[in-house]
């Protein structure tokens, strides 16, 4: 698919994942990023990406703004084609912040985030805009602000939300990422891919965050660890199946096997929820665990282990919130 004009893209959330897509998209689109804690450093020095895939020491200086009001002023009446949301999926916050930069009937909102049930609030707020749901594989960290370390995978699986909506914008966005040199697959319905990734996120993210451990360290902690991880993943699988997304036991074992395979090289992963706890930030407990538990209970699925993880992670999130406001 060829693009006659460079699309206009606003990135909301220039963190670990967002900065890598900002850099890629800046090759093929006019890009601006809404930054928060890293605004000063990004404005002054730009970003540095050290990527196992794209190369080390990649420096770039994007246009940055402090908020969507400033982004709207900067656009001077021109519509953004895409708003790419790469902030953490915390319900009830972002849609109202985006309002100044969303042109009704035109701007497509692309959610590059983990979790399930994250799209509906955008649909409810922007009824006439395309909503694009993207599942992201891109292990990355930002430490300190402006410096991104990216590991060995970069992949987006992209579909319209809901799957029955027009796929035109989702296909065009997937093509844009591909032209930029990224990996993007268009999916007619991306929800099965969301659930497949959720096997990893709803299990490993809270377990690593609660234990302050990398995934491989959890597996090596005691004999009970591997069967418990498998049992949690099987609960997630049962919930997915009850909602029409079939995942085989072999696929569950494959997901668990990815961490097991990294034990000999000690190449453990720090999921983003663990990174958030380590840096005192709120965690994506509702998008990743709470929604899953509620969707399980709505179908009468037994998910005691996941429910326990939800209660513990929710308490941890509220504790982090109290610390932030103290
Ligand atoms: N990191 C990873 O390895 C992976 C992450 N994911 C998923 O990708 C998504 C993004 O994660 P990740 O990149 O790690 O998140 P980060 O926390 O690194 O980045 C999120 C960014 O959004 C910014 N942000 C949040 N709220 C606002 C606001 N109101 N205004 C401006 N900026 C804001 C944050 O700013 P501030 O610094 O001020 O908080 C931060 O820069 C999540 O859903 C995550 O689960 C998926 C796969 C891998
Ligand atoms: C586990 C991982 C790194 C997989 O990409 C992830 O999705 C996260 O950290 O939230």
């Amino acid at each position: 698919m060829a693009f006659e004009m460079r699309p206009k893209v606003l990135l909301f959330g220039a963190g670990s994942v967002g900065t890598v897509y900002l850099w890629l998209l800046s090759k093929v689109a006019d890009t601006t990023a809404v930054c928060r804690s890293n605004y000063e450093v990004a404005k002054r020095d730009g970003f540095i990406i050290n990527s196992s895939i794209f190369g080390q020491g990649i420096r770039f200086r994007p246009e940055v703004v402090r908020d969507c009001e400033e982004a709207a002023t900067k656009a001077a009446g021109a519509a953004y084609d895409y708003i790419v949301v790469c902030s953490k999926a915390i319900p009830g916050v972002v849609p109202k912040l985006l309002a100044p930069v969303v042109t009704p009937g035109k701007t497509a909102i692309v959610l590059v985030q983990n979790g399930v049930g994250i799209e509906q609030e955008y649909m409810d707020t922007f009824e006439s805009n395309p909503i694009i749901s993207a599942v992201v594989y891109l292990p990355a960290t930002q430490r300190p602000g402006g410096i991104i370390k990216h590991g060995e995978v970069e992949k987006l699986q992209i579909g319209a939300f809901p799957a029955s909506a027009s796929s035109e914008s989702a296909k065009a966005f997937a093509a844009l990422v591909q032209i930029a040199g990224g990996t993007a697959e268009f999916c007619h319905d991306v929800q099965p891919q969301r659930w497949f990734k959720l096997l990893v996120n709803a299990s490993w993210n809270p377990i690593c965050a609660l234990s302050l451990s990398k995934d491989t360290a959890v597996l090596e902690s005691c004999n009970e660890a591997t069967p418990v991880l498998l049992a949690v993943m099987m609960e997630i699988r049962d919930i997915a199946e009850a909602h029409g997304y079939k995942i085989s036991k072999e696929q569950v074992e494959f997901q668990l096997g990815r961490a097991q395979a990294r034990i000999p090289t000690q190449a453990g992963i720090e999921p983003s929820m663990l990174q958030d706890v380590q840096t005192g930030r709120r965690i994506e407990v509702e998008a990743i665990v709470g929604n899953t538990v509620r969707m399980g209970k709505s179908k009468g699925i037994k998910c005691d282990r996941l429910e326990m993880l939800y209660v513990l992670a929710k308490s941890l999130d509220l504790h982090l919130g109290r610390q932030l406001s103290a």
Side-chain angles (χ1 to χ4, degrees):
M1 191 176 294
F3 288 90
E4 284 164 18
M5 281 172 57
R6 284 168 72 85
K8 208 167 165 51
V9 175
L10 181 70
L11 176 83
F12 183 89
S16 317
V17 169
T19 303
V20 175
Y21 284 110
L22 179 66
W23 171 68
L24 279 170
L25 290 168
S26 65
K27 300 175 187 190
V28 292
D30 288 340
T31 51
T32 302
V34 179
C35 293
R36 198 167 58 176
S37 65
N38 56 7
Y39 175 83
E40 296 295 346
V41 71
K43 178 97 185 153
R44 191 184 62 233
D45 304 329
F47 289 96
I48 300 177
I49 298 175
N50 294 311
S51 166
S52 306
I53 295 183
F54 300 114
Q56 302 294 308
I58 300 167
R59 289 173 180 271
F60 78 115
R61 291 190 62 155
E63 293 281 342
V64 295
V65 292
R66 281 192 189 277
D67 52 35
C68 292
E69 279 78 13
E70 192 182 340
T73 307
K74 188 176 163 294
Y80 285 99
D81 296 293
Y82 300 99
I83 296 178
V84 181
V85 180
C86 288
S87 55
K88 290 279 161 51
I90 310 287
V93 181
V94 176
K96 57 180 176 289
L97 298 178
L98 299 186
V101 281
V102 176
T103 302
K106 174 158 179 73
T107 310
I109 300 163
V110 189
L111 305 178
V112 181
Q113 296 175 313
N114 280 328
V116 283
I118 60 169
E119 301 94 346
Q120 192 61 44
E121 61 174 334
Y122 292 87
M123 272 261 305
D124 294 344
T125 313
F126 305 111
E127 288 175 359
S128 65
N129 292 82
I131 307 296
I132 302 173
S133 184
V135 178
V136 55
Y137 289 85
L138 191 147
T141 50
Q142 176 175 213
R143 282 186 202 134
I147 302 186
I148 314 297
K149 185 174 169 206
H150 166 217
E152 65 294 333
V153 187
E154 179 280 312
K155 184 169 79 170
L156 288 178
Q157 294 170 318
I158 294 172
F161 182 85
S164 56
S166 162
S167 58
E168 194 186 333
S169 295
K171 281 182 178 159
F173 186 74
L176 190 66
V177 173
Q178 286 163 2
I179 293 167
T183 309
E185 277 169 19
F186 167 75
C187 305
H188 288 284
D189 181 1
V190 79
Q191 296 306 317
Q193 281 76 9
R194 268 205 179 279
W195 281 93
F196 185 62
K197 175 124 202 263
L198 194 74
L199 286 176
V200 170
N201 293 126
S203 54
W204 279 122
N205 288 30
I207 288 174
C208 293
L210 289 160
S211 62
L212 300 178
S213 302
K214 290 184 178 180
D215 55 358
T216 48
V218 172
L219 286 179
E220 287 190 292
S221 66
C222 55
N223 291 338
E224 284 76 7
T226 299
V228 164
L229 254 301
L230 182 61
V232 172
M233 288 188 181
M234 291 300 284
E235 288 183 358
I236 302 161
R237 179 195 89 139
D238 291 346
I239 299 167
E241 187 167 342
H243 284 270
Y245 307 111
K246 204 160 171 48
I247 300 173
S248 68
K249 182 150 190 243
E250 291 68 37
Q251 286 176 302
V252 176
E253 285 166 349
F254 168 80
Q255 287 291 42
L256 183 57
R258 289 168 61 199
Q260 286 170 318
R262 287 187 273 98
I263 292 176
T265 53
Q266 294 289 301
I269 278 185
E270 293 180 20
S272 50
M273 203 179 272
L274 169 59
Q275 296 173 40
D276 287 337
V277 172
Q278 285 166 337
T279 49
R281 290 182 298 191
R282 302 292 298 262
I283 56 177
E284 295 173 293
V285 59
E286 296 300 349
I288 292 178
V289 197
N291 285 350
T292 314
V293 168
R294 281 185 285 275
M295 288 173 82
K297 291 175 112 175
S298 74
K299 296 280 185 186
I301 301 299
K302 195 167 156 48
C303 54
D304 298 348
R305 289 184 172 86
L306 201 60
E307 195 173 14
M308 174 66 85
L309 285 175
Y310 174 51
V311 172
L312 295 175
K314 182 73 184 177
S315 308
L316 175 59
D317 181 53
L318 293 172
H319 167 76
L320 292 164
R322 283 191 295 274
Q323 281 196 322
L324 279 173
S325 51

